[in-house]
Amino acid sequence: MKWIHMYALLVRASIRSRMQYKFNFWFSSIMAAIINVVEFLMLAVILLKFGHIKGWSLAEAGYLYAVLSLSKALYRMFASDVHHLEKYLVTGSLDSLLLRPVPVLLALMSQNFSIKFGELIQGIAILAFSMGTMMQTGQITWTALPLTVIVILSGSVLLFAIGLLTATAGFWITRIEELQNITEDAARTAAQYPMSIYPKWLQGLLISVIPVGFANYMPSLYILRHEAGIWLVGLSILVALALFTIALRAWKIGLARYQSTGS
Amino acid sequence: MITVTELHKQFRRAAPKEGPFKGLRSLFSRDYQVKEAVCGISFQIEPGEFVGYIGPNGAGKSTTIKMLSGILHPTSGEVRIFDRSPHQERRLVTKRLGVLFGQRTQLWWDLPTRDSYDILAAMYGMDAAKKRTRLGQLRELLALDEFLDTPVRQLSLGQRMRADIAAALLHDPDILFLDEPTIGLDVIAKRNIRQFLKDINLNLGKTIMLTTHDMDDIEQLCSRVIVINHGRLGFDGTIDDLRRRIGLPTIIRVTYNKAESMEHEVPAPLRCHSRAGRTLTVECNREQLSAMEALRLLEQFGELEDVHMEEPNFEDIIHRVY
């Protein structure tokens, strides 16, 4: 409770800092939204032209896309600078976070907080459209709604864990941008689409090595398709929590290796 | 209060390669060069001490301070502060430390200075009343009022340093680590900050460890000096000990009334430095001979018209230790 309060306070400071540069604040928020819309439009064009991808309808693909982008928006909103740890390692600015009697990860998460309006609104819109369509055809019922919320939350923990593990590698290798391209960006982009379009080895990769498939595809198999059982949702949560625990342990070890910079 | 035992810190970096394809080869190499930034340092600091921690650039001063304040983990050796490890129990220890890095502000760059204090107070779990009294004291002592509502990025260096010192002191820590608190400041700002540090050490009993390249800081403030060079402890003692250890001579310049008085050998243990007209300059080791005795020795050759004495410059002393 104390730490949530602390986090909220730091986030407020972070927002006030960013509001000092109002143009940049609004411009970056709007640009991020536009990029997302364009991305989804490309997916929509393909689906509208062919009707489905490997047996996944427009509504289903939209659901997968929306769930993942909402998870990502939450992760990037509440833990923005975990993704930018490299900057702290290279400049040595992690020093000032380590000086304070506050968990370093918490302090890091609160830096450069930004509300991802664009991604949230767009994600919710696509999700509403997709779920509405599927409810009309009777493919899913209202029970899918709470499950979806759970999946989005668990997915954001999973993405956070993957991001944190990747960032932690920076304590050993310093520069992590390229690694992030693979573990965060490429893997997530791949998981935006129904995984059945990929060859088996890539599918395997996306549910084991970089288990981003558990953020949307795996639980959706149950929620949308009623395959397997509700344990698929449970497993997804478990994978997220397990990876998060591992990431926290690695983070602790990594912090002890922090080298700072000369001054 | 602070106990440092056999502290080592090594930084590893990839060994540079020579010859053809050196860039490519260094990519695949697993050779590392080990740089010993701090090498087997031990010392103890008692409550109320004012310790100057000095050494040339790259000697390992900042690395030591960062290990003491829990930022860096030592390769081996141990730091105990209030009998706790700042690495295993970082949050508990940092709560009672005030740390200042003169080169880099700890304040929120884009926010008004006042906001930084609000955030810090919350971080250290201070309630509103305590924060108000503390900040009230510091505002007066460090004259913060003129810039409390200015964003930190617009402060002058002198103002920023005052603001940073206030930030380090806000939570009323028992120990202060100050890494170059007077760097880049003008004479007046330096004097004010020194006076302030002296006050909080003497009157409030704060234990202070300070690194600096300004020998006046050391001479005016520190009861004890620790010298570090190439990561090793070079000296640990009082300033007078340091002077004595180096044994730099006091320079005595006397002018005789009559030129004849110059026609004599300089008696031991004084050593002749130079002669010019009626003025004789000698070097005197104060360990062997007091100034009065030296003058009496010189007086036997004739009446003195003028005497001038120069204590060895502290900076010269430090040069010898490095």
Side-chain angles (χ1 to χ4, degrees):
Chain A
M1 197 56 221
K2 177 177 147 206
W3 295 130
I4 294 175
H5 185 74
M6 184 79 256
Y7 178 77
L9 182 100
L10 290 173
V11 160
R12 277 202 299 279
S14 171
I15 293 178
R16 257 179 304 155
S17 292
R18 288 175 60 92
M19 288 303 272
Q20 298 277 320
Y21 309 97
K22 290 190 184 66
F23 174 76
N24 186 53
F25 182 83
W26 291 114
F27 188 71
S28 63
S29 301
I30 293 168
M31 279 312 286
I34 292 177
I35 289 170
N36 274 290
V37 171
V38 171
E39 221 177 56
F40 181 71
L41 280 181
M42 275 162 55
L43 178 68
V45 164
I46 298 171
L47 283 164
L48 286 173
K49 193 143 171 70
F50 299 102
H52 61 87
I53 303 178
K54 289 249 172 159
W56 288 72
S57 68
L58 175 61
E60 288 175 319
Y63 179 87
L64 290 180
Y65 179 91
V67 164
L68 193 67
S69 64
L70 283 173
S71 290
K72 182 209 165 191
L74 288 179
Y75 152 48
R76 286 296 180 82
M77 198 158 100
F78 289 108
S80 161
D81 270 14
V82 169
H83 187 69
H84 300 116
L85 181 69
E86 177 178 315
K87 182 178 77 189
Y88 291 79
L89 297 178
V90 173
T91 61
S93 44
L94 205 61
D95 285 11
S96 47
L97 305 184
L98 277 158
L99 273 181
R100 306 297 172 204
V102 172
V104 182
L105 184 57
L106 193 82
L108 183 69
M109 283 165 66
S110 72
Q111 304 283 308
N112 287 314
F113 182 91
S114 61
I115 301 170
K116 307 279 181 203
F117 295 112
E119 288 165 51
L120 287 176
I121 294 170
Q122 187 218 354
I124 291 170
I126 296 175
L127 191 66
F129 159 76
S130 304
M131 291 187 81
T133 312
M134 285 187 281
M135 276 182 200
Q136 266 170 10
T137 61
Q139 189 181 348
I140 56 172
T141 59
W142 285 105
T143 53
L145 211 57
L147 282 180
T148 302
V149 173
I150 292 173
V151 166
I152 291 172
L153 292 178
S154 139
S156 60
V157 172
L158 183 70
L159 292 182
F160 180 26
I162 294 173
L164 184 58
L165 268 175
T166 313
T168 301
F171 288 114
W172 281 266
I173 58 179
T174 311
R175 296 276 182 189
I176 46 174
E177 213 183 323
E178 296 307 315
L179 192 62
Q180 284 175 329
N181 278 344
I182 295 173
T183 61
E184 293 206 61
D185 303 332
R188 200 191 50 247
T189 309
Q192 280 171 0
Y193 308 103
M195 269 169 55
S196 52
I197 64 171
Y198 300 121
K200 277 274 176 286
W201 63 268
L202 188 54
Q203 291 185 22
L205 206 71
L206 291 176
I207 56 171
S208 58
V209 182
I210 308 167
V212 66
F214 283 101
N216 57 350
Y217 184 78
M218 297 302 273
S220 301
L221 284 179
Y222 170 73
I223 299 175
L224 305 184
R225 298 261 171 126
H226 315 292
E227 288 174 26
I230 195 161
W231 59 268
L232 261 182
V233 179
L235 181 66
S236 303
I237 298 173
L238 216 65
V239 168
L241 291 180
L243 203 64
F244 185 59
T245 315
I246 296 172
L248 281 181
R249 293 296 281 280
W251 170 258
K252 271 254 146 57
I253 299 169
L255 265 187
R257 291 184 55 96
Y258 174 58
Q259 299 225 323
S260 189
T261 49
S263 58
Chain B
M1 190 171 231
I2 303 173
T3 311
V4 175
T5 348
E6 277 299 306
L7 202 60
H8 283 264
K9 181 71 192 177
Q10 299 175 339
F11 291 116
R12 284 202 324 172
R13 60 156 191 252
K17 296 278 178 188
E18 293 296 328
F21 305 113
K22 56 184 175 193
L24 200 62
R25 273 167 51 213
S26 68
L27 261 183
F28 294 103
S29 145
R30 293 185 50 83
D31 296 348
Y32 287 99
Q33 260 183 356
V34 172
K35 193 192 167 239
E36 294 255 8
V38 169
C39 194
I41 283 184
S42 304
F43 57 78
Q44 271 197 23
I45 295 176
E46 301 305 327
E49 280 197 277
F50 202 135
V51 180
Y53 193 57
I54 55 176
N57 288 325
K61 299 185 301 289
S62 294
T63 306
T64 315
I65 296 275
K66 283 177 184 173
M67 281 195 281
L68 291 180
S69 45
I71 294 173
L72 292 178
H73 287 236
T75 311
S76 70
E78 208 191 18
V79 180
R80 305 291 287 180
I81 295 177
F82 307 114
D83 215 29
R84 290 174 195 280
S85 156
H87 307 104
Q88 263 90 56
E89 299 177 271
R90 185 183 65 81
R91 293 210 300 266
L92 275 176
V93 175
T94 47
K95 219 170 180 150
R96 299 173 69 182
L97 296 182
V99 185
L100 169 92
F101 292 106
Q103 311 252 30
R104 181 184 275 162
T105 181
Q106 306 295 321
L107 304 168
W108 278 252
W109 194 243
D110 289 317
L111 296 182
T113 316
R114 183 193 299 279
D115 292 20
S116 287
Y117 299 132
D118 291 343
I119 300 168
L120 285 172
M123 278 184 162
Y124 288 90
M126 301 170 70
D127 56 43
K130 194 172 171 211
K131 187 197 88 189
R132 215 171 312 117
T133 35
R134 256 329 261 174
L135 193 58
Q137 291 165 352
L138 291 167
R139 269 160 73 167
E140 206 173 306
L141 287 168
L142 289 161
L144 303 179
D145 281 322
E146 52 178 296
F147 55 79
L148 262 186
D149 293 310
T150 314
V152 174
R153 63 169 193 276
Q154 290 171 5
L155 299 184
S156 74
L157 187 59
Q159 291 175 330
R160 209 216 76 205
M161 204 64 86
R162 264 145 62 204
D164 257 308
I165 290 180
L169 281 166
L170 185 68
H171 55 288
D172 203 10
D174 305 307
I175 298 181
L176 282 174
F177 294 134
L178 309 172
D179 193 6
E180 306 195 33
T182 56
I183 191 163
L185 299 184
D186 65 41
V187 187
I188 295 170
K190 269 184 187 173
R191 195 171 58 200
N192 290 340
I193 283 184
R194 277 184 202 136
Q195 188 55 48
F196 176 77
L197 293 177
K198 200 170 204 157
D199 274 355
I200 61 170
N201 172 247
L202 287 179
N203 303 331
L204 304 178
K206 305 282 181 205
T207 309
I208 304 180
M209 182 164 177
L210 148 153
T211 79
T212 183
H213 288 291
D214 188 329
M215 290 313 143
D216 293 340
D217 287 350
I218 299 287
E219 216 175 357
Q220 293 173 24
L221 293 173
C222 300
S223 55
R224 176 176 165 195
V225 192
I226 297 177
V227 181
I228 176 179
N229 199 5
H230 300 297
R232 287 167 204 283
L233 211 65
F235 173 86
D236 182 356
T238 63
I239 293 184
D240 290 337
D241 283 343
L242 187 59
R243 277 216 177 86
R244 229 169 284 142
R245 158 111 167 249
I246 307 304
L248 274 189
T250 306
I251 304 284
I252 302 176
R253 188 175 299 133
V254 292
T255 309
Y256 288 105
N257 261 339
K258 302 190 184 92
E260 303 92 270
S261 309
M262 293 290 286
E263 293 160 6
H264 66 79
E265 290 292 305
V266 175
L270 297 176
R271 282 207 322 264
C272 179
H273 184 273
S274 61
R275 295 163 190 264
R278 288 183 289 129
T279 304
L280 171 71
T281 312
V282 296
E283 293 176 354
C284 162
N285 189 334
R286 298 275 291 273
E287 286 295 280
Q288 300 166 335
L289 203 66
S290 78
M292 275 320 291
E293 287 167 333
L295 282 183
R296 238 172 261 134
L297 273 179
L298 291 169
E299 232 171 1
Q300 60 188 336
F301 304 105
E303 214 172 311
L304 298 180
E305 185 183 282
D306 193 17
V307 179
H308 180 85
M309 253 196 253
E310 240 171 73
E311 285 295 325
N313 188 334
F314 197 65
E315 253 176 81
D316 295 338
I317 296 182
I318 294 303
H319 267 291
R320 293 279 178 104
V321 195
Y322 289 172

